[in-house]
């Protein structure tokens, strides 16, 4: 309730602890400011190593700026404003501007023992309906490497276990462009692991007619892991999805999906070396249907560059190489297509 509430650090300073939590809450009359230097969470045990930065002020745009953020998990959430940070270094990274834009430096999300996942989102709202729209901008390379969990997993494309994932998205009012730009290269690598899973999931098999909230029992054994990258610009494909450098995605299964009014990327290499899996899904909740069992040995490698719904509808790419074991697919959708080999 002071005239200038907030959290302030010198840009060259470092705040370090087992966990680091920075939070600012205010009102329209007393909007807080968050200006941080470098943040490092050094804890290594269970529940340690978290960097959390949160701001919540209703209907007031408050910007969050930070230096380098390092830990086991880095989470930044801004309810009504922009987020800017330098380098991010953590196996799990989640950055969301609920009604604003995100600008980050290079991203390094690497674990040799656990899943690695990066999620960066710039979402729309009345305060961000300016002509500039919302944007996600990464000024540097993105490097992600993770390993499939042994006893439980997050379901990735084709129902396989996620090991290393990237999800970048910008959305907002349909009248304006919402762009996703990576000024650098993207590397996503999934490390193979054997898994034996018996867990509850909350979405039914494809085509079963069951929506989210329906509980199912998943029993799965096998060896594999998914490397996955998704870049979506504009909730109505009304933005530009752009990677200025190359994209390399490797793992037992590997996928690249880019969607926007325009899609632009350098050379693309996607390699799925092969998985094995045997699984059974059975309904637990009343009204849930769609039991099935399956087993296969394959390596799924897919590329989808999709601008078909955009007014410009252009796709521009360098050379594309897709290599799988049973499934290798490259799909380019647009009004104009420009590419290498």
């Amino acid at each position: 309730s002071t005239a200038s509430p907030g959290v302030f650090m010198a840009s060259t300073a470092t705040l370090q602890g087992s966990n680091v939590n920075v939070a600012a809450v205010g009102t329209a009359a007393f909007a807080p400011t968050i200006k941080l230097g470098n943040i490092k969470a050094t804890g290594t045990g269970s529940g340690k190593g978290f960097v959390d930065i949160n701001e919540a002020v209703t209907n007031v745009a408050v910007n969050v700026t930070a230096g380098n953020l390092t830990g086991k998990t880095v989470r930044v959430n801004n309810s009504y404003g922009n987020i800017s940070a330098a380098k991010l270094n953590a196996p799990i990274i989640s950055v969301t501007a609920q009604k604003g834009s995100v600008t980050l430096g290079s991203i390094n999300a690497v674990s040799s023992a656990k899943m690695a996942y990066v999620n960066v989102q710039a979402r729309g709202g009345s305060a961000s309906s300016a002509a500039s729209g919302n944007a996600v901008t990464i000024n540097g390379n993105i490097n992600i490497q993770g390993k499939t969990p042994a006893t439980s997993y997050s379901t990735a494309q084709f129902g396989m276990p996620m090991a290393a994932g990237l999800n970048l998205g910008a959305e907002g009012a349909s009248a304006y462009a919402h762009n996703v730009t990576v000024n650098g290269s993207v590397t996503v690598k999934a490390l193979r692991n054997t898994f034996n899973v018996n867990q509850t999931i909350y979405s039914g098999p494809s085509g079963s007619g069951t929506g989210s909230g329906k509980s199912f029992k998943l029993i799965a054994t096998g060896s594999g892991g998914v490397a996955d990258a998704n870049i979506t610009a504009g909730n109505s494909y009304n933005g530009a999805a752009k990677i200025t450098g190359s994209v390399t995605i490797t793992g037992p299964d590997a996928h690249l999906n880019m969607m926007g009014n325009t899609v632009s990327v350098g050379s693309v290499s996607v390699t799925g070396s092969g998985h094995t899996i045997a699984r059974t899904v059975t309904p637990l909740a009343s009204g849930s249907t769609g039991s099935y069992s399956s087993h296969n040995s394959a390596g799924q490698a897919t590329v989808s560059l999709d601008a078909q719904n955009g007014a410009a509808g252009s796709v521009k790419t360098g050379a594309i190489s897709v290599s799988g074991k049973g499934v290798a697919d490259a799909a380019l959708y647009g009004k104009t297509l420009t590419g290498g080999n």
Side-chain angles (χ1 to χ4, degrees):
S1 61
T2 63
S4 302
V7 182
F8 304 92
M9 287 177 61
S11 61
T12 57
T14 298
L15 177 61
Q16 180 172 305
S18 182
N19 287 319
V20 180
N21 189 317
V22 178
V25 179
T27 66
F30 302 105
T33 299
I34 298 180
K35 293 184 177 180
L36 307 172
N38 303 317
I39 305 293
K40 187 175 184 179
T42 58
T44 58
S46 177
K48 305 296 183 181
F50 286 83
V51 174
D52 282 293
I53 302 172
N54 297 279
E55 177 279 320
V57 184
T58 302
N59 295 331
V60 178
V62 177
N63 298 329
V64 175
T65 61
N68 300 331
L69 305 178
T70 304
K72 289 196 307 182
T73 297
V74 169
R75 297 180 293 211
V76 184
N77 183 74
N78 190 357
S79 64
Y80 227 117
N82 301 324
I83 296 172
S84 176
K87 298 177 181 178
L88 273 62
N89 189 352
I92 302 296
I93 294 172
S94 177
V95 179
T96 301
Q98 298 289 353
K99 294 169 182 169
S101 294
V102 178
T103 303
L104 305 173
S106 62
I107 294 175
N108 191 52
V110 175
S111 174
S112 60
K114 296 182 179 180
M115 183 183 76
Y117 195 80
V118 174
N119 181 45
V120 181
Q121 300 293 319
R123 295 175 177 165
S126 58
S128 57
S129 295
S132 59
N134 302 311
V136 170
T137 304
I138 312 297
N139 293 314
N141 297 331
I142 298 175
N143 180 40
I144 303 172
Q145 176 182 290
K147 189 173 185 179
T148 306
T151 57
S152 66
Y153 65 69
S154 298
T155 302
Q157 199 159 323
F158 299 113
M160 297 302 298
M162 176 70 75
L166 171 67
N167 187 26
L168 306 179
E171 64 180 41
S174 60
Y176 306 114
H178 308 285
N179 302 323
V180 177
T181 304
V182 179
N183 291 311
S185 297
V186 174
T187 302
V188 183
K189 182 178 182 179
L191 302 178
R192 178 186 303 276
N193 196 18
T194 56
F195 52 86
N196 190 337
V197 173
N198 188 331
Q199 68 185 52
T200 299
I201 59 175
Y202 294 95
S203 60
S206 177
S208 67
T210 58
S212 61
K214 302 290 188 178
S215 57
F216 290 77
K217 177 66 70 175
L218 168 66
I219 299 175
T221 59
S223 172
V226 174
D228 190 54
N230 292 281
I231 295 91
T232 304
N235 49 346
S236 298
Y237 300 151
N238 55 345
K242 182 178 182 180
I243 299 174
T244 63
S246 62
V247 174
T248 303
I249 303 178
T250 58
D253 297 298
H255 309 286
L256 170 65
N257 301 287
M258 296 180 67
M259 292 186 292
N261 177 35
T262 63
V263 173
S264 176
V265 62
S267 62
V268 173
S269 176
V270 175
T271 303
S273 59
H275 69 256
T276 60
I277 188 170
R279 57 190 165 190
T280 300
V281 175
T282 54
L284 294 177
S286 175
S288 299
T289 61
S291 299
Y292 77 94
S293 296
S294 69
H295 61 88
N296 63 67
S297 175
Q300 299 158 339
T302 67
V303 171
S304 176
L305 308 179
D306 185 353
Q308 62 182 323
N309 290 332
S314 68
V315 175
K316 184 178 181 179
T317 176
I320 297 177
S321 173
V322 184
S323 176
K325 180 185 176 185
V327 177
D329 183 63
L332 283 68
Y333 307 98
K335 297 178 176 66
T336 62
L337 307 175
T338 305
N341 296 327

